Amino acid sequence: MTLRPALKPQRHPAVKVNSRPGPRPNRRPARRQAVKRHRRGTDRRPRFAIAVTAAFLALLYLPIGVVVLFSFNSQKSLTVFKDFSLRWYSAFLKDDVLIGSLAMSLRVSLVAMAGSLILGVALALGLVRCRSRLGSLAGLVMLVPLITPEIVTGVAAMLLFKGFGITLSTGTVMLAEITFSISYVTVILRSRIAALNPEVEEAAMDLGATRWQALRLVTLPALLPSILASAVLVFALVFDDFVLAYFTTGVDPQPLSVRIYSAIRFGVQPTINAVGTLMLAGSIGLIALALAIPRLFGRRGGLDLLSGK
């Protein structure tokens, strides 16, 4: 009897299981396309907004451009421009009435600038240093002239002077302009004073300085850029002001803005175009100087002027 060899069990080859996940679908192209679509949406120019802005700027500045252009017209015509000439600027310099009004506007602007600076600096210091409820209430009251319509302020000033029996003159214009300008100086300087470190002034007093000496030698020099900027801004605002000057001025002399209004009621003369161009150039220069003064002192300029920084 022959023995057969035992059959060995067949081993099936082990199935190798790949524990690593398969390749993931590449989603980067889809993301890139989404980003591109988003950028295309954000890069689209708002045509309607651009058209409205262009129309607004055209309505605002085209009349001013026409006044400037015809101030150099060689003819008296206000509709036909022929040649460039300085004829009407020369006529303005020879007009004693307009020169007198210009001199009055400069005097009023200088006096209003000086008076509003003195009172505005003192008021800003008091509002910042006063911690009571009365100080907070006074700070809110100082904002009222900024939001009150100027015609209301002009009528109120005229009624006040009439009520006390004061004759309208150059002095009444100066008083009204000073009262109107104090709020601008206070708002500009108040935030700047609040940003100052009070320990510097206290250190000066610890070294033997009196409170007045610390204010004069420490605080005011730190406020000098804001003071100069607010002074130039107030000068430009008062020089161009018409509503308040119209209600508080006397018969003669009149501020330049009121004189121009009185002249154009009988027809616009080319000389008025020259005067308006000079006033526009002066106002732009003063406001640019007011915005540039903080940068000259190593501080941030531009629109930060309004915050006193």
Side-chain angles (χ1 to χ4, degrees):
M1 180 175 182
T2 58
L3 297 176
R4 295 180 179 179
L7 297 176
K8 295 181 179 180
Q10 296 181 358
R11 296 181 180 180
H12 298 281
V15 179
K16 296 182 179 180
V17 179
N18 189 5
S19 59
R20 296 182 181 180
R24 296 181 180 179
N26 190 3
R27 297 180 180 178
R28 291 184 179 180
R31 292 180 180 178
R32 290 177 181 176
Q33 292 178 0
V35 171
K36 288 182 179 180
R37 287 195 298 267
H38 178 70
R39 289 180 179 178
R40 291 175 184 174
T42 56
D43 291 342
R44 291 178 181 176
R45 296 181 179 180
R47 298 180 180 179
F48 179 75
I50 293 176
V52 172
T53 304
F56 170 76
L57 294 177
L59 292 175
L60 183 64
Y61 291 108
L62 276 181
I64 299 176
V66 171
V67 170
V68 174
L69 177 63
F70 279 90
S71 67
F72 296 99
N73 192 7
S74 60
Q75 293 183 348
K76 194 176 181 179
S77 175
L78 298 177
T79 57
V80 179
F81 185 85
K82 185 177 181 181
D83 296 321
F84 280 92
S85 174
L86 298 177
R87 171 186 176 184
W88 307 115
Y89 291 92
S90 177
F92 164 67
L93 296 177
K94 295 178 182 178
D95 193 331
D96 295 335
V97 177
L98 291 177
I99 293 298
S101 298
L102 175 62
M104 180 185 174
S105 295
L106 292 175
R107 289 197 304 269
V108 171
S109 300
L110 290 173
V111 173
M113 180 185 67
S116 61
L117 278 181
I118 295 173
L119 298 176
V121 171
L123 184 58
L125 288 170
L127 292 176
V128 174
R129 303 294 170 82
C130 183
R131 303 295 182 180
S132 62
R133 295 181 179 179
L134 183 61
S136 301
L137 180 62
L140 294 177
V141 172
M142 285 307 304
L143 298 177
V144 174
L146 300 179
I147 60 177
T148 303
E150 193 174 356
I151 189 172
V152 176
T153 305
V155 173
M158 182 187 66
L159 295 178
L160 178 64
F161 293 138
K162 292 290 187 179
F164 282 97
I166 301 176
T167 304
L168 298 180
S169 60
T170 305
T172 56
V173 179
M174 292 178 179
L175 290 175
E177 295 291 355
I178 289 174
T179 305
F180 175 72
S181 304
I182 291 175
S183 299
Y184 289 94
V185 179
T186 305
V187 170
I188 293 174
L189 294 179
R190 185 180 177 183
S191 57
R192 177 58 186 158
I193 295 173
L196 294 178
N197 189 358
E199 296 179 356
V200 178
E201 189 173 346
E202 295 175 358
M205 290 187 291
D206 292 339
L207 294 175
T210 62
R211 185 173 295 275
W212 167 249
Q213 290 176 340
L215 176 64
R216 181 171 58 89
L217 300 176
V218 177
T219 305
L220 291 182
L223 296 176
L224 185 60
S226 298
I227 292 176
L228 293 178
S230 58
V232 177
L233 184 61
V234 167
F235 183 91
L237 291 175
V238 174
F239 184 80
D240 290 340
D241 184 65
F242 166 74
V243 178
L244 196 58
Y246 178 79
F247 284 101
T248 57
T249 188
V251 178
D252 197 59
Q254 293 178 337
L256 187 58
S257 57
V258 180
R259 180 69 66 182
I260 292 175
Y261 172 75
S262 302
I264 63 176
R265 288 189 301 173
F266 304 100
V268 179
Q269 299 295 326
T271 309
I272 303 301
N273 293 336
V275 176
T277 302
L278 293 176
M279 293 180 64
L280 177 64
S283 300
I284 293 176
L286 289 174
I287 294 177
L289 180 61
L291 296 177
I293 282 178
R295 289 188 177 275
L296 298 178
F297 285 85
R299 303 182 185 277
R300 288 184 296 175
L303 298 178
D304 291 336
L305 164 68
L306 298 178
S307 62
K309 297 181 180 180

